[in-house]
Amino acid sequence: MFCSRCGDGFEPHEKIVNSNGELWHQQCFVCAQCFRAFPEGIFYEFEGRKYCEHDFHVLFAPCCGKCGEFVIGRVIKAMNSNWHPRCFRCEMCDKELADLGFIRNQGRALCHECNAKAKAVGLGKYPLRFRGEVYHGYHFNCTACGVELNSEAREVRSRPGFAANEMNELYCLRCHDKMGIPICGACRRPIEERVVTALGKHWHVEHFVCAKCEKPFLGHRHYEKKGLAYCETHYHQLFGNLCFVCNQVIAGDVFTALNKAWCVHHFACSVCDQKMNQKTKFYECDLKPVCKKCYDKFPNELRRRLRKAHEQTPKKATV
Amino acid sequence: MEQAPVSCIPNTKMLKAKKVIDEAKETQNPELDLADKGIASFEEMPGLFNMLNITRLTLSHNKIQVVPPGLANLINLEILNLFNNQIEELPTSLSSMPKLRILNVGMNRLDVLPRGFGAFPVLEVLDLTYNNLDESNLPGNFFMMETLRALYLGDNDFEFLPPEVGQLKNLQILVLRENDLVELPKEVGDLTRLRELHIQGNRLTVLPPEIGNLDLVSNKSVLKMENNPWVTPIADQLQVGVSHVMEYIRTETYRYVYSRHMSSERQPPPKTNDKSKKISRARQQS
């Protein structure tokens, strides 16, 4: 047993320091720079030597490019310097960039939004957006007619699956409109993904909505009325094809009479609840159907009144 | 010596109803048709209140006088039809039936509804046609039945309709045929979904201009207003059609006519409907 520093042995009752299997005299376990014991036993190891915290930082720790203090813990290496994460910020909006990523813009570190803004300012009021970046329009020509472009040019998404990357292309407004790209009837913008064709117009899937609740149909059935489209619920609510008995949308055949509608199997005498069909003769009382059997059970005085009222009603075209 | 249990109900009568009930139990049929079976009392239908599966119970054209509160045990009942019986009073318990959507108690002898009657949680159609009801015997919460879409009050004795009727936001059908109505509350104009209004055979002279808010002349709507002592301008319009009446009551001219009519001292027109022959007037022999 020998000390790792001085190579001497140990006295029988001497205190021995054991660090990772190596042994030391207590007076030999010291900082390689200042030869003093490690405060609170904390040391840093570099190339086989042990240093106290202070000397380690002086010798090896990077200095922050902003505040000049040592950077301990996470070091951001960027823009040819080292930084505390909290010191590396967007030079325009002061957002921390460590986890957001940054873009070098004329020697400045900027976040993506500020970079886009800075670029837009440089390009005048209406930059041309193309493949996620902004450009002067005059650097490009129309893919179809070759005319020099301005900010009015339209980016057309290539059909996915035809190219490994998105190979979008630029067209002048005239050529773009001639290409037959459908225009959404709601937002008046071109439709580059799925097109819904209904009511004689084209629509973005998410813009083809019920005229009442404005929820998109998303492929569900819609009902047309006077040039407007409605979802099932609102069509029936507004135009009255709910069954008088079950108050549900009528699936299948509708029985229409007396200003009301019924599911075929719910059409029944309102007095005795016996089912009736198209052929059953029935009377009307307060615009409810009454079968003959029940009508005959009505008191005479009521039948007389109903008959009289019936004779009085102007005989107009009854549907 | 043992004696057979004595029943005061004749056996043959008991059989008719019992047969239908037993059959329904056997087939698990959730719709029970007991119309015109000569039933005078629920005692003739033993075990009925245990048939918790039934969704419809039709008891029209019988001679039932008393509806026991236990009927509300039938928690799955959606349609209850008691048309043409001799019922004078209903139990409050009916109002707590959780699934009851359609209640028909037309052509009975009701001259009062129980307190709290308006508590039905999901009632959609209430038929009280041909009874002896008027505004003084409706319970306080009657117009709190927000789910109601049709209210049949024809052939009753209303002279005024409470303004609370405006709370029935879902009402599509309102029948007040052949009552004794002297005027309609302007709140009827709040019933935006109304598409059937029957006010024929009353004592109405004017309509509140608010009725003009309603769409009662489209091909999906009905307004019946004949046989009322209408003021001349309304009567004249009615000659040509209800659409002309609706158009007329929306005019400024009519607003003026209406306000002058309402502020004038006037006697309501006399009652003209003779109700002495109504079978709802018959009294039970007790």
Side-chain angles (χ1 to χ4, degrees):
Chain A
M1 293 216 298
F2 302 100
C3 170
S4 297
R5 185 165 174 250
C6 63
D8 289 346
F10 297 99
E11 296 297 319
H13 295 292
E14 195 179 358
K15 272 194 175 169
I16 300 170
V17 180
N18 182 338
S19 171
N20 285 332
E22 289 182 303
L23 306 175
W24 316 72
H25 291 114
Q26 205 162 19
Q27 70 273 17
C28 287
F29 192 64
V30 291
C31 169
Q33 182 73 5
C34 62
F35 306 118
R36 279 181 289 195
F38 301 114
E40 292 167 40
I42 295 166
F43 62 87
Y44 293 75
E45 213 166 312
F46 188 74
E47 292 181 341
R49 296 170 205 261
K50 294 180 167 58
Y51 298 92
C52 67
E53 187 171 10
H54 177 260
D55 287 328
F56 179 78
H57 290 154
V58 170
L59 290 167
F60 306 109
C63 282
C64 173
K66 187 175 182 202
C67 65
E69 298 285 328
F70 299 128
V71 184
I72 298 152
R74 193 174 170 202
V75 184
I76 307 299
K77 287 185 178 286
M79 309 289 287
N80 302 324
S81 191
N82 299 301
W83 314 84
H84 289 112
R86 64 172 187 282
C87 287
F88 188 60
R89 290 165 184 271
C90 170
E91 286 184 41
M92 279 173 74
C93 70
D94 210 33
K95 229 185 281 170
E96 274 187 33
L97 295 173
D99 297 312
L100 295 174
F102 71 100
I103 291 166
R104 198 184 178 118
N105 182 316
Q106 296 173 324
R108 300 180 297 175
L110 298 180
C111 68
H112 288 278
E113 289 98 77
C114 288
N115 178 57
K117 270 187 230 161
K119 258 189 156 172
V121 168
L123 291 167
K125 208 174 173 189
Y126 300 107
L128 177 60
R129 295 190 163 273
F130 181 44
R131 295 183 189 166
E133 295 283 349
V134 280
Y135 298 95
H136 292 116
Y138 53 74
H139 295 304
F140 299 92
N141 295 86
C142 171
T143 311
C145 70
V147 75
E148 186 182 293
L149 295 177
N150 56 25
S151 58
E152 298 252 87
R154 290 288 159 85
E155 183 176 6
V156 174
R157 198 177 290 181
S158 62
R159 282 168 295 174
F162 279 73
N165 298 318
E166 280 204 358
M167 295 300 289
N168 296 358
E169 284 169 331
L170 288 168
Y171 293 86
C172 71
L173 203 54
R174 267 177 68 90
C175 289
H176 179 264
D177 290 349
K178 278 195 292 191
M179 283 165 65
I181 289 174
I183 303 295
C184 172
C187 70
R188 307 267 158 219
R189 302 285 304 167
I191 308 166
E192 282 157 6
E193 292 177 330
R194 277 182 57 201
V195 183
V196 180
T197 306
L199 305 171
K201 287 180 190 162
H202 301 291
W203 313 83
H204 284 113
V205 175
E206 63 274 22
H207 289 163
F208 185 52
V209 300
C210 167
K212 173 83 177 151
C213 66
E214 302 193 333
K215 285 197 186 113
F217 298 114
L218 303 174
H220 292 289
R221 201 164 164 186
H222 72 274
Y223 296 78
E224 298 182 14
K225 183 93 174 178
K226 290 184 181 166
L228 296 172
Y230 298 87
C231 65
E232 193 166 16
T233 312
H234 288 114
Y235 177 80
H236 290 291
Q237 198 184 80
L238 290 165
F239 306 110
N241 271 334
L242 294 178
C243 170
F244 181 67
V245 170
C246 66
N247 204 29
Q248 303 291 312
V249 172
I250 300 169
D253 287 341
V254 181
F255 198 105
T256 316
L258 309 175
N259 195 43
K260 295 174 185 64
W262 282 267
C263 306
V264 168
H265 61 281
H266 279 145
F267 186 64
C269 168
S270 65
V271 171
C272 67
D273 295 324
Q274 285 304 302
K275 305 277 180 274
M276 301 200 284
N277 61 37
Q278 280 87 337
K279 288 174 192 152
T280 319
K281 288 242 170 32
F282 63 87
Y283 291 79
E284 173 262 312
C285 179
D286 293 333
L287 289 182
K288 295 212 291 185
V290 178
C291 72
K292 180 161 192 317
K293 227 171 125 189
C294 286
Y295 188 83
D296 288 343
K297 289 201 178 71
F298 277 9
N300 288 333
E301 63 90 23
L302 175 60
R303 285 209 309 249
R304 201 176 313 123
R305 281 188 284 138
L306 291 174
R307 198 161 42 229
K308 208 172 132 197
H310 191 73
E311 283 159 9
Q312 273 183 3
T313 27
K315 293 283 177 292
K316 269 191 244 156
T318 41
V319 191
Chain B
M1 255 240 275
E2 277 199 27
Q3 243 187 328
V6 181
S7 170
C8 52
I9 303 151
N11 242 346
T12 47
K13 244 168 124 187
M14 190 97 154
L15 272 172
K16 250 182 169 181
K18 200 171 177 296
K19 208 175 135 196
V20 178
I21 290 176
D22 289 345
E23 219 173 83
K25 274 183 184 163
E26 193 126 323
T27 58
Q28 288 286 303
N29 185 355
E31 306 205 331
L32 202 49
D33 280 303
L34 288 163
D36 200 15
K37 293 275 182 282
I39 300 164
S41 161
F42 275 78
E43 287 167 30
E44 295 166 37
M45 300 174 278
L48 174 67
F49 295 167
N50 297 324
M51 297 174 71
L52 299 187
N53 65 318
I54 61 171
T55 58
R56 174 166 68 80
L57 175 59
T58 303
L59 287 162
S60 28
H61 306 306
N62 284 294
K63 297 192 176 68
I64 296 166
Q65 298 184 349
V66 177
V67 178
L71 184 58
N73 277 2
L74 301 173
I75 47 164
N76 284 307
L77 210 57
E78 294 182 30
I79 300 177
L80 175 58
N81 193 337
L82 293 162
F83 191 90
N84 192 16
N85 279 278
Q86 299 170 9
I87 302 162
E88 289 185 13
E89 237 178 302
L90 289 171
T92 313
S93 64
L94 286 191
S95 313
S96 64
M97 294 177 76
K99 293 186 182 169
L100 194 65
R101 296 188 300 107
I102 300 180
L103 174 59
N104 191 341
V105 257
M107 203 168 286
N108 277 283
R109 298 173 183 176
L110 297 172
D111 36 35
V112 70
L113 291 176
R115 275 190 72 183
F117 183 76
F120 291 97
V122 296
L123 196 65
E124 296 174 12
V125 179
L126 176 58
D127 195 329
L128 293 164
T129 307
Y130 207 105
N131 279 285
N132 306 318
L133 296 167
D134 65 52
E135 59 277 8
S136 68
N137 46 42
L138 292 184
N141 67 350
F142 186 80
F143 292 104
M144 293 184 187
M145 296 184 272
E146 270 197 34
T147 52
L148 216 57
R149 55 184 165 88
L151 177 57
Y152 293 90
L153 293 171
D155 274 323
N156 277 286
D157 305 326
F158 287 89
E159 292 192 32
F160 293 91
L161 189 63
E164 289 80 17
V165 71
Q167 298 167 8
L168 299 173
K169 292 288 175 229
N170 286 306
L171 207 63
Q172 297 167 25
I173 299 171
L174 177 58
V175 178
L176 296 159
R177 173 186 53 81
E178 292 177 287
N179 277 266
D180 297 311
L181 288 172
V182 170
E183 62 180 67
L184 277 185
K186 66 177 193 309
E187 285 76 6
V188 171
D190 298 341
L191 303 173
T192 48
R193 298 184 66 183
L194 203 66
R195 56 184 176 82
E196 264 187 45
L197 179 61
H198 305 227
I199 46 174
Q200 69 272 44
N202 281 284
R203 299 149 70 197
L204 298 168
T205 50
V206 288
L207 284 171
E210 287 78 4
I211 300 279
N213 301 340
L214 302 175
D215 172 26
L216 290 171
V217 293
S218 78
N219 62 346
K220 278 280 174 191
S221 307
V222 172
L223 170 59
K224 294 196 176 196
M225 55 185 288
E226 304 80 21
N227 295 331
N228 279 288
W230 297 114
V231 293
T232 323
I234 293 187
D236 289 350
Q237 298 294 332
L238 187 56
Q239 287 283 318
V240 264
V242 285
S243 60
H244 294 263
V245 178
M246 288 300 284
E247 214 164 284
Y248 173 65
I249 64 168
R250 291 180 185 133
T251 60
E252 273 308 307
T253 324
Y254 177 68
R255 278 178 191 277
Y256 176 71
V257 169
Y258 177 78
S259 65
R260 222 183 43 179
H261 182 89
M262 294 307 281
S263 57
S264 66
E265 296 256 334
R266 68 206 142 74
Q267 284 289 318
K271 291 187 187 184
T272 49
N273 297 337
D274 175 19
K275 300 183 175 179
S276 56
K277 300 242 171 64
K278 275 178 73 179
I279 58 164
S280 61
R281 292 288 197 265
R283 293 293 86 187
Q284 287 169 16
Q285 308 92 343
S286 44

